[in-house]
Amino acid sequence: TYSVKVANIDFVRLEQRPDLLAAVRDAVKVAVAAEVGDAVRPEDVAVALSAGSLIVETTIKPTESMPLDTMRQHLSVSDSFATSVAQAVANIPGIEEVATGSILVPVGGVGAGSA
């Protein structure tokens, strides 16, 4: 499980826009799958969203060609994981309606949890 805090999103307003909420989930799935590599598809990524600006919890299902240990190692050295998630959210059409500023992941905004 990986946690990313995306700053400058009004979660209450986002919840009131089911279309944007679904778009955020989908965009994060695509971004995370791309970061992990070709062995992981967007449908292998589960996304939970919560308040705190926007807290994104991702759980990635290991595959035969991308076991859990390999996935963890890959993401632990990724310099672009947080940026990819923030850019994916920022590029959603209409997201500015729930943004309160520049969409970014602040320093320390990424955390790794258990499997």
Side-chain angles (χ1 to χ4, degrees), residues 1 6 9 19-20 32 36-37 40 54 74 79-80 85 90-91 93 101 105:
T1 303
V6 180
I9 295 289
D19 57 326
L20 285 179
V32 170
V36 174
V40 174
L54 173 63
H74 180 80
D79 291 331
S80 58
V85 171
N91 289 335
V105 174

Side-chain angles (χ1 to χ4, degrees), residues 28-70:
V28 168
K29 287 180 179 187
V30 169
V32 170
E35 276 294 314
V36 174
D38 293 336
V40 174
R41 300 165 303 166
E43 50 270 17
D44 296 325
V45 180
V47 175
L49 306 174
S50 59
S53 218
L54 173 63
I55 304 297
V56 178
E57 293 280 339
T58 61
T59 303
I60 308 163
K61 183 174 85 175
T63 64
E64 283 186 32
S65 56
M66 181 67 74
L68 186 58
D69 289 343
T70 304

Side-chain angles (χ1 to χ4, degrees), residues 6-9 19-20 23-28 30-31 54 82-99 101-104:
V6 180
N8 299 319
I9 295 289
D19 57 326
L20 285 179
V24 167
R25 280 193 187 100
D26 291 345
V28 168
V30 169
L54 173 63
T83 302
S84 294
V85 171
Q87 285 179 341
V89 173
N91 289 335
I92 296 169
I95 199 70
E96 66 277 355
E97 295 174 30
V98 298
S102 296
I103 297 170
L104 53 88

